[in-house]
Amino acid sequence: MRVSFQVNGAQESVDDVWEGESLLYMLRERMGLPGSKNACEQGECGSCTIYLDGIPACSCLVAAGQVHGRSVRTVEGLAQGDMLDPVQQAFVDAGAVQCGFCTPGLLVQTHDLIDRIPDPSDVEIREALSGNLCRCTGYEKILDAVYLAVERKDAIK
Ligand code: FES
Ligand code: FES
């Protein structure tokens, strides 16, 4: 089947999508968008989080055919050209990236959190990120990055 949808602001079509293909697979293997990571493929880790019609979703749990006519924004779509999004920059500046496997999902979730709740409490941050698992850190640097991003929120698009 052919799937046509908007991804990171551009209209795209992908041919020969098979029924069981996930959105994550289509993005990574067919569309040159490997930012979303495939860590568990079971909806458990959040590494594959993207925006689907403006709402975060695990792309490993979305069938590629389901996005026909819809809008997807991936972690690649957070940056403005060569300029990192302030959330991305905050993760770099806070040293919140080790292997980086969890990072794309955390970036999208943090971006969404600050969009919904500009001044989140500690509990709201922990709840928002509770579905995103990091295998590398004790999460402190990640929380530092989120607070840094909150400080810089006026620049987030
Ligand atoms: S790869 Fe999708 S939730 Fe883990
Ligand atoms: S930085 Fe390695 S899984 Fe989070």
Side-chain angles (χ1 to χ4, degrees), residues 2-36:
R2 164 175 276 212
V3 177
S4 298
F5 67 114
Q6 200 178 70
V7 61
N8 297 332
Q11 192 64 35
E12 302 279 357
S13 292
V14 181
D15 288 319
D16 301 323
V17 174
W18 55 285
E19 289 78 359
E21 188 166 322
S22 70
L23 172 59
L24 177 61
Y25 181 93
M26 183 168 73
L27 291 170
R28 289 179 54 83
E29 307 299 334
R30 294 181 185 267
M31 304 187 71
L33 293 169
S36 311

Side-chain angles (χ1 to χ4, degrees), residues 44-61:
E44 299 284 351
C45 74
S47 301
C48 63
T49 304
I50 48 86
Y51 279 113
L52 178 56
D53 291 338
I55 296 172
C58 290
S59 58
C60 71
L61 294 184

Side-chain angles (χ1 to χ4, degrees), residues 82-94:
D82 289 339
M83 278 275 293
L84 290 180
D85 179 87
V87 176
Q88 294 172 310
Q89 191 63 55
F91 271 67
V92 173
D93 294 346

